[in-house]
Every structure is written in structure tokens, then in C-alpha cells.
Amino acid sequence: MENIDGKLFEKFLKNSELPVFISDNEKFIYFNDNFVELTGYNKSDLEEMRLSQLFPDLNILGKIDDGKARVLTNNLELKIVNISRFLSSDNSSALFICRDETELNLKNIESKKNREFLDQIFSSLDDGVVVFDKDSKIINLNNAALKYGKNILKKIIERSLSKLVEDSSVVNDCFVLSEEYKGRNLYFSVNIRSILIQNLFEIYILVINDLTRERELSIELDKKRIILEEKLNIMDRELLLAKNIQSEITPNECMVTNRAFILTKLVTANSLGGDFFTTESMDKFDNIGIFDVSGHGVASSLIVMMLNSILSSNEVKNLESVSKLFLEIQNRFKNRIPGKHFIASTFCKLFDNNMFFASGGSYKPIIIRRNGVVEDLGENTFPIGLIPNPKFHQFSTTFEEEDIVVLLSDGVVESSNSKGELYKIERVFDILNLHKEKKPFEIYKNVLSDLNSFTGGIENCNDDITFMVVYLSKKRKYIKIESFDNLIKELPKKSSEDFAKIKSLIQFPVNLLKVPFKGEYIYKLELGRRVDMESDDYLVLDDSIVF
């Protein structure tokens, strides 16, 4: 060190951008400002310190070797520096140039952690991942790819590479390997991506998704779906047959008994319904009633057919007491109604000027009296079959010619709109009061029209619906009509003009029923066949036109 120009050396030390220090016998005899900044100590502290206090990694001789060393700074922070030893004339003194590599070391540690993390993700992926070069030589692959074996991977790589075109670096593909593998066809979805490394060489990353099990399940599901569709078609045909049978035991929508003119609307929520109604004339009275079997579908429809059989019995339908009729039905159904099924009903027996009735779990009869009073009648009791040994209570009221009785099942008042709001019995009363002076078929039309508008279509309701309007009148006149001209003569002028529109639909001779109503007539034209038509001026019910 004696041969070095002192001024030049001093200039080098001061202007060096790197931390520099000179030591002699483990003492600092010189250091520049950059070294002071590196250590965090002030100059006076460094002048008093020994090397071992600053550098904890001295060799066994107490000297500093070339290479990386740790520096314990003033704030007790360990820094990593690269030390180069120069101008050493003996083992006791030397010049050292330092390079702070703390951040670089941290980056290397972070990079290593990142690589370990990525390797962990790579190995845990469910999809197979293969990295290979342009010669199809596999560079790396994860555990999910290993399971396919060498031959399968080779075929997948060849197929995937064949899909790459010159102007594309990414390809998505789905394919099946035609060869069977352990008795199975293999189905794959692949994604291959080419990557250029430092503009020098190209590698490919292939992601393999095994669709074999998914495809096999799909094929099996398709087979089962076909079988299910065949069974559903058979069931649909059987249900249609059952519905036709059920419709045969249900009375027509427009019926005439000895003491009443009756209009009824029955809509089932399913192919087979649990609602049922009956209208029949006996010697002394007329039987008129609606029944609502709880639930829907096949079980409820079978109970309806059993109920119809019971009501067809002379012993039952000739009972003059409604409460005894309910009790007889309960006894005949005893231990025969499955599960929790029961029957709600409102039933009336019309004598000449008296009506005996009972409501078992259904809505009470509503009467529109000729003087304009609208009221419900009697009290409700338990449904048939709900409890053992029930007491059914019968009520009675007098009526006059041209009074109107309304019967309805809970499906009417419990129908809901798109907001989930119920139709409610109060709304029924509002419509009845609004149209109470009109003819029975107009009351019938207006209630159903309002219900249809409220629900967005009563055919879409979740419960069976039965709505019945009973016009109490023993007066009626039947006329046999031989021609259209004869029909026109019997009709009021407005109706004559309306019927001219449907002249071609009427096949003469036909029967015309005229029922008096407040100085006018209610007409029922019996066509003898069903007519598929709609009109705002009259009702088309089954094989009749009512106006």
C-alpha cells in the first residue's frame, strides 16, 4: 500500500459510489460516507468499534473473507453485503469495497417462495398439466397428468399439436380417443398454449380435462331419459283416459232440475281433479251439492269416483236430511279414505219453497234474494272424514221464485295473483252485489271473468275450482225448433241478430228452453252436440248455448 499515490488514493476513496473501508488489526482506520450510511452509525462510533461488532461472520482467524457477509447496523438490522478485499500487504490490514445486496437477496428468497408456491399449485391441480418442447419432449408434468400414462399422453400431445396453426398460439379442443382404454373410450377437453421464452425457444403448456366419466354419465342419463319419457307418455295416456272417465261421471255445466236452472264451472289444477258436483231431481226435492276432496291427482280422483258411486245409491240420495247424508258418506268411507284425505262439501236439498243445507269444511251458501239482499247462510261444520264421530248440522231457509243461490269451493277464494294476494270471499260478495240485478248467466260470467283477470287465467291456478250459480225456479217452457226462422221468432230482436252469426252451427231440429226472469226470459238452446266457440253475448256450455 506504500507504493500508491496518496492524493489519488484519497480521491478514489471519497468519490467511490460504493461503501469502502480500511481496517488494521480489526480496527477501522478509514471509511467513506457511503459506508457510514450503510451501517447507520456515526463516524465517531465507527472509529471506536471493532470489526467483530459490525461483522458477525468473521472467519476463525478473526478476518473478513471475500464474498457475502452480514452487517449488523445501528438499528439492529441485518444487511447482506458482498465484500471484496483489496490492497492487502499482510493479514492485518486491507481495503474493502462493499456492495449492499440485501434487497437482491430478499428478491431471491421471495422468488424461491413463489416457485415453491406455484409448484404446489401445479402439483395439486385436478386437471392434467404437461409442459413440453417443439419435439414433444416432456419437460414437466403434474400428478394429474401422470395417471394417463406415456402412450395416452403421447396421443394427446400429437392431437393437440396438430390443431395449432401458424397464426395461432392458443387452441381449445374436445375429442375422443377412438382406441378403447381398459374397455372404455376416453374423452378429453384440452387447451394448448405456446410460449416463446426470451425470444429464443418455444415451449407448450397443455391443460387436459378428462371428460370420460362426465360423458359416460351423460350417455347413461340420455338412456334413462328416453326410458322415462316412454313411461311418462304411457302415464299421460292413462291419465287422459282416467280424465275422460272422470268427466263422464261429472254432470254438464248447464243443468235443469225440477226446481232450478244451474250453471257450473269446474276447473281442475291437474289432469285429474278432486272437485266434484252433483245435480239431481228426486220426487220430493232436488239434490244440489259441491265436493272438494283434499289433495290432487290420482288418489283424490279415485275418492271422487267412490263418492259418485255412493251418491248414486238410492238409499243415500233419497235421504231428506243433509246432515244424515254427510254422516252416511262418512260411515261408508270409514277406514277407506287413504292417508289424511277428507272431503269438504256444501250440499243443498231444494223442496218447493224451502232449502235444507249444510256446509262441511266448505264455504257457506250465498243467496241473492229477489229483493236484492245478498247474504251467506248457516254455519260451517267439520269436513267429512276429518274426525271420527262428527256432528253435522243442517240449516234451512225459505226461498222465492227467481232467488239465486251461489256455491263455491275454496279454490275460488284461495286463488292468488302474481303478487301472492288471495281472491278472498269479500271480493266474491262485491261482484255479486254489483251484478245482483242481472240474469244468472251474467252473474256467472262476471264472477268468472273477474277471477280470470285477477289470477291471469284460472286454468293456471294451483287448486281445483268449482263455482255454481243456482237459479231457483220451477217455471220453464220447452219448445221444439224445426228451423232457423222458427228460432228467430222465439228470440228477442237483439238475440236474433246475434244468432244470425252462428246460423251454420245449428243443426235443426233443436230444443229451446225458456225460463222466466223478471219479465224476460233465460234461454237455453240445446244443440245436441258440443260446439267449439266463444262469444261475449252468450254462454257456450257443453252442448248448449245460454243467453
Side-chain angles (χ1 to χ4, degrees):
M1 297 177 67
E2 296 173 355
N3 298 325
I4 298 176
D5 186 313
K7 292 183 178 180
L8 183 62
F9 183 61
E10 184 178 356
K11 184 177 182 180
F12 162 75
L13 293 177
K14 287 183 178 180
N15 295 326
S16 174
E17 295 181 357
L18 297 174
V20 177
F21 70 91
I22 300 173
S23 68
D24 184 33
N25 292 322
E26 292 194 47
K27 294 285 289 182
F28 294 103
I29 61 174
Y30 177 82
F31 39 79
N32 64 1
D33 292 340
N34 289 330
F35 184 76
V36 173
E37 183 179 351
L38 171 69
T39 63
Y41 290 96
N42 57 42
K43 292 182 179 181
S44 59
D45 290 335
L46 287 172
E47 289 172 351
E48 299 296 326
M49 292 178 66
R50 299 182 66 81
L51 266 65
S52 58
Q53 292 176 268
L54 192 61
F55 296 99
D57 297 325
L58 296 180
N59 62 23
I60 58 174
L61 298 176
K63 306 298 181 182
I64 298 177
D65 294 326
D66 284 357
K68 285 184 170 50
R70 293 181 297 167
V71 175
L72 185 61
T73 65
N74 187 33
N75 57 4
L76 300 181
E77 177 187 1
L78 277 175
K79 289 190 175 183
I80 306 299
V81 295
N82 194 319
I83 297 179
S84 298
R85 183 186 184 105
F86 295 97
L87 306 176
S88 177
S89 59
D90 52 39
N91 288 330
S92 61
S93 61
L95 180 144
F96 297 90
I97 298 176
C98 306
R99 185 186 303 274
D100 188 354
E101 295 186 353
T102 305
E103 290 189 9
L104 179 61
N105 187 69
L106 290 175
K107 288 181 180 179
N108 290 336
I109 294 173
E110 186 66 25
S111 177
K112 182 180 179 182
K113 289 181 179 178
N114 288 340
R115 285 197 303 273
E116 291 175 351
F117 180 67
L118 290 174
D119 287 342
Q120 185 178 4
I121 294 177
F122 183 74
S123 61
S124 63
L125 286 174
D126 292 332
D127 291 341
V129 181
V130 183
V131 182
F132 58 94
D133 61 19
K134 64 179 181 178
D135 298 320
S136 300
K137 181 180 178 181
I138 295 176
I139 300 171
N140 197 2
L141 73 166
N142 65 353
N143 293 331
L146 275 172
K147 68 180 182 181
Y148 300 123
K150 182 178 179 180
N151 292 333
I152 297 296
L153 283 178
K154 181 180 179 182
K155 292 179 182 295
I156 295 175
I157 290 172
E158 289 175 353
R159 171 65 183 261
S160 302
L161 281 176
S162 69
K163 291 290 182 177
L164 277 175
V165 294
E166 292 182 0
D167 59 347
S168 174
S169 61
V170 180
V171 167
N172 293 298
D173 189 21
C174 289
F175 60 88
V176 56
L177 292 181
S178 57
E179 301 86 357
E180 287 193 351
Y181 175 72
K182 295 183 179 180
R184 302 164 68 192
N185 281 332
L186 301 181
Y187 299 84
F188 297 100
S189 166
V190 299
N191 179 289
I192 184 171
R193 181 183 298 270
S194 64
I195 300 176
L196 190 63
I197 305 297
Q198 296 180 349
N199 293 322
L200 295 176
F201 62 96
E202 192 173 29
I203 65 169
Y204 301 94
I205 299 177
L206 177 66
V207 179
I208 308 168
N209 184 12
D210 189 350
L211 302 178
T212 304
R213 182 57 181 158
E214 181 180 330
R215 178 63 175 167
E216 289 173 343
L217 289 174
S218 177
I219 293 172
E220 185 66 23
L221 185 62
D222 286 341
K223 291 178 181 178
K224 291 183 178 180
R225 179 180 54 79
I226 292 172
I227 295 173
L228 180 60
E229 286 178 352
E230 291 175 352
K231 291 183 178 180
L232 288 175
N233 288 334
I234 294 172
M235 184 180 294
D236 286 342
R237 291 194 295 270
E238 295 294 330
L239 287 174
L240 180 60
L241 177 60
K243 184 176 183 179
N244 291 335
I245 294 173
Q246 189 178 38
S247 66
E248 289 297 322
I249 68 170
T250 304
N252 288 338
E253 292 177 316
C254 182
M255 294 291 291
V256 180
T257 62
N258 291 338
R259 298 165 181 83
F261 180 88
I262 306 163
L263 300 170
T264 309
K265 184 68 173 179
L266 189 154
V267 179
T268 59
N270 298 315
S271 297
L272 297 174
D275 275 20
F276 175 72
F277 68 93
T278 182
T279 58
E280 188 172 7
S281 294
M282 312 307 294
D283 291 338
K284 297 181 180 179
F285 53 84
D286 293 348
N287 285 327
I288 299 172
I290 63 172
F291 298 87
D292 179 5
V293 179
S294 59
H296 310 288
V298 176
S300 297
S301 68
L302 290 175
I303 295 174
V304 165
M305 298 185 74
M306 294 167 63
L307 178 62
N308 177 68
S309 177
I310 293 172
L311 291 171
S312 298
S313 164
N314 286 326
E315 182 182 353
V316 174
K317 63 186 180 183
N318 279 301
L319 290 170
E320 295 188 5
S321 167
V322 179
S323 57
K324 289 182 179 179
L325 181 140
F326 278 5
L327 189 59
E328 183 65 23
I329 294 173
Q330 166 111 358
N331 290 335
R332 294 200 181 199
F333 267 119
K334 190 175 183 179
N335 301 323
R336 296 175 67 189
I337 298 182
K340 298 181 180 180
H341 286 283
F342 56 85
I343 304 169
S345 175
T346 299
F347 201 94
C348 306
K349 288 183 176 287
L350 302 179
F351 290 80
D352 288 341
N353 293 106
N354 292 284
M355 181 175 76
F356 295 90
F357 60 93
S359 298
S362 187
Y363 283 89
K364 297 178 288 184
I366 303 170
I367 190 166
I368 305 173
R369 298 197 183 274
R370 188 175 181 181
N371 61 9
V373 175
V374 181
E375 59 182 342
D376 55 7
L377 303 172
E379 298 293 335
N380 217 325
T381 58
F382 289 107
I384 300 168
L386 182 64
I387 61 172
N389 306 316
K391 291 184 178 180
F392 298 110
H393 300 288
Q394 174 179 278
F395 300 89
S396 66
T397 187
T398 58
F399 64 85
E400 299 180 25
E401 283 279 326
E402 301 186 4
D403 283 353
I404 297 173
V405 173
V406 175
L407 307 181
L408 65 157
S409 66
D410 62 359
V412 175
V413 296
E414 293 176 8
S415 294
S416 60
N417 60 14
S418 58
K419 298 179 181 179
E421 300 168 335
L422 298 181
Y423 191 72
K424 295 185 178 180
I425 191 66
E426 291 81 6
R427 185 158 179 154
V428 176
F429 271 93
D430 290 342
I431 302 298
L432 295 180
N433 275 296
L434 184 63
H435 300 285
K436 61 186 178 182
E437 301 297 332
K438 295 182 179 179
K439 293 181 179 181
F441 78 88
E442 292 177 302
I443 294 174
Y444 173 90
K445 282 179 61 175
N446 280 293
V447 172
L448 291 177
S449 176
D450 185 67
L451 179 61
N452 198 62
S453 176
F454 179 84
T455 60
I458 57 177
E459 289 77 11
N460 302 320
C461 290
N462 296 323
D463 195 5
D464 299 335
I465 289 174
T466 304
F467 178 70
M468 179 182 287
V469 174
V470 182
Y471 177 55
L472 303 173
S473 176
K474 293 186 292 183
K475 299 176 182 179
R476 72 280 314 274
K477 181 180 180 181
Y478 279 100
I479 304 172
K480 188 173 183 179
I481 305 296
E482 299 288 350
S483 67
F484 188 74
D485 290 337
N486 290 340
L487 176 62
I488 296 301
K489 291 177 182 178
E490 293 291 339
L491 302 180
K493 185 176 186 303
K494 184 178 185 303
S495 297
S496 301
E497 294 172 353
D498 293 334
F499 266 83
K501 303 173 185 177
I502 58 170
K503 179 179 179 180
S504 61
L505 299 177
I506 304 173
Q507 297 179 357
F508 296 96
V510 294
N511 289 324
L512 179 67
L513 172 66
K514 298 173 66 175
V515 180
F517 177 81
K518 296 182 180 180
E520 300 181 42
Y521 284 99
I522 301 168
Y523 298 90
K524 178 188 178 187
L525 186 65
E526 299 175 351
L527 301 178
R529 61 187 179 88
R530 287 184 176 271
V531 177
D532 186 14
M533 58 174 290
E534 294 183 1
S535 172
D536 294 331
D537 302 307
Y538 33 75
L539 286 176
V540 181
L541 301 174
D542 298 315
D543 59 353
S544 302
I545 298 177
V546 179
F547 54 100

